[in-house]
Amino acid sequence: MNISILGSTGSIGTQALEVVDDLKGIKDIAVLAITGNSNVELLEAQARRYKPSLAVIADEKKYNDLKCRLADTNIKVSTGEEGLCEAATLDKCDMVLSSIVGFAGLVPTMKAIEAGKDIALANKETLVTAGGLFTDAVKRHNVRLLPVDSEHSAIFQSLHGGNRGELNKILLTASGGPFFGKTKDELKGIKKEQALKHPNWSMGAKITIDSATLMNKGLEIIEAKWLFDVFLDDIEVVVHRESIIHSMVEFCDKSVIAQLSLPSMKHPIQYAFTYPERLPSPDRSVSFAELKALTFAKPDEETFRCLALAKKAGRMGGIMPTVLNAANEVAVAAFLCDKIGFLEIGEYVESVLSKYENKLNFTIEDIIEIDRSVRLEHKI
Ligand code: NAD
Ligand code: MG
């Protein structure tokens, strides 16, 4: 199999390359293209090791640097959105791992679908913003869409336990993040260093903050709605602190089927790469005797407003999830630069949402424009 990895220098991208190494000799995967935004050193090291035909540095200011570094190889170097789209559509590529963070992943992922590539999807923001257009394109171009987000991979795997018509609801698990159980007062002075410490997962900065605000779970509800063609009200969030059950589905006979494994993104990445097969993994087994107990709780949507806001935007549909997503990206970036406090992330998202009128029919160009307008007109 030949793959392109959009976002190879990130948390998902680097783990995907480890999966490629793990599978060597069991299922050989050639990496045709890799991309990064600004980490030229890492992209160069990956290019030398995996020998793709194309390496793309999205930040145009870094293009010359990467080009010089790879001058002694026959690897083509490109840049900008054009370069990302080239990486997403290479002739010999079978599958694109969409693991750029944020809205920036949308256009290249859509181009990959239009070029007939199967998609392993980590970038949830694409489904949140362009869900209907995205899933229509997947059907039209007859490509496979395999979830990489751990919860969605778990749901996808659990759904094999029954027929779609027999599904009652989805139980989407949430770790609760580093601030589970805290009150609004206790969250006031939170510093980014505290918010960046996730109890179970090591991830990129943006999704780590989203996990702390529970926006991540809100985005995942919308992601699940589009991936599995269900109503938002048929998705229930369950806080499960241990992150062992990655999500569950309940069928009409009230049987619940779940997928369990130790928290490692390499599991869902590998499953997306090998589906429908399961291949050996070097991961450790779950030891139930060591774990002793698994716990469950309700999420606190009063304190963690972002979850409620995402549900609201998701129910409204149309362009509102795009507004929510863009506002959240702006707010998280501002929080990471110490410009706003932790609780202000939700306050800002709520205020931006209130400034937009919904529009139910839209094109990709429309949401690109809306995303741009949120970033320009509501700068922090
Ligand atoms: P990350 O920040 O570690 O990596 C992001 C990648 O995108 C990097 O390669 C970076 O260079 C690239 N990138 C960033 N901005 C870009 C831009 N403007 N143009 C082009 N490339 C750009 O993020 P991550 O944690 O790997 O997450 C990637 C995606 O996967 C996100 O959508 C996230 O929600 C999703 N996801 C991540 C995890 C996880 O465990 N990390 C789990 C589930 C889902
Ligand atoms: Mg997840």
Side-chain angles (χ1 to χ4, degrees), residues 173-354:
T173 55
S175 72
F179 307 133
F180 174 72
K182 292 226 182 300
T183 62
K184 261 199 175 146
D185 262 358
E186 290 169 322
L187 291 177
K188 268 184 193 141
I190 288 295
K191 293 272 166 294
K192 71 173 177 212
E193 292 72 22
Q194 296 164 279
L196 283 170
K197 267 199 203 116
H198 195 281
N200 305 340
W201 299 94
S202 155
M203 311 179 283
K206 192 258 176 184
I207 184 176
T208 307
I209 302 303
D210 285 350
S211 301
T213 61
L214 292 201
M215 178 60 91
N216 184 50
K217 216 40 61 181
L219 299 179
E220 289 187 352
I221 293 179
I222 306 176
E223 182 186 13
K225 165 196 151 78
W226 290 113
L227 273 174
F228 306 113
D229 194 17
V230 293
F231 294 111
L232 282 189
D233 291 332
D234 294 334
I235 305 169
E236 183 182 328
V237 175
V238 184
V239 176
H240 165 51
R241 297 292 285 157
E242 297 81 12
S243 297
I244 296 292
I245 300 180
H246 298 297
S247 277
M248 313 179 251
V249 302
E250 184 192 272
F251 289 102
C252 55
D253 60 355
K254 310 295 184 305
S255 249
V256 174
I257 312 275
Q259 184 268 325
L260 288 73
S261 52
L262 293 180
S264 158
M265 287 309 294
K266 285 170 67 176
H267 174 91
I269 295 169
Q270 174 167 318
Y271 192 62
F273 284 173
T274 66
Y275 177 81
E277 271 182 294
R278 287 188 185 275
L279 295 179
S281 154
D283 276 1
R284 282 191 303 128
S285 302
V286 177
S287 163
F288 290 95
E290 245 171 65
L291 279 170
K292 293 196 178 65
L294 297 177
T295 61
F296 305 96
K298 262 190 159 188
D300 172 2
E301 294 186 26
E302 263 307 303
T303 307
F304 296 90
R305 289 284 304 144
C306 288
L307 176 56
L309 290 170
K311 277 189 181 171
K312 185 176 165 198
R315 275 202 194 92
M316 291 172 82
I319 63 160
M320 297 320 269
T322 299
V323 176
L324 171 98
N325 180 69
N328 182 56
E329 287 192 29
V330 171
V332 170
F335 173 70
L336 287 171
C337 299
D338 300 314
K339 287 187 184 164
I340 60 172
F342 183 75
L343 288 174
E344 283 171 274
I345 298 175
E347 289 164 15
Y348 169 85
V349 171
E350 185 156 27
S351 115
V352 175
L353 275 174
S354 72

Side-chain angles (χ1 to χ4, degrees), residues 121 127 131 135 139 145-160 164-165 167 169-172 220-232 234-235 246-249:
L121 187 73
L127 271 184
T135 48
K139 280 187 208 123
L145 176 58
L146 296 158
V148 167
D149 211 345
S150 55
E151 295 77 0
H152 303 74
S153 176
I155 296 162
F156 180 69
Q157 295 179 55
S158 302
L159 282 171
H160 290 107
R164 277 312 304 272
L167 177 69
K169 63 177 171 182
I170 287 176
L171 297 150
L172 187 71
E220 289 187 352
I221 293 179
I222 306 176
E223 182 186 13
K225 165 196 151 78
W226 290 113
L227 273 174
F228 306 113
D229 194 17
V230 293
F231 294 111
L232 282 189
D234 294 334
I235 305 169
H246 298 297
S247 277
M248 313 179 251
V249 302

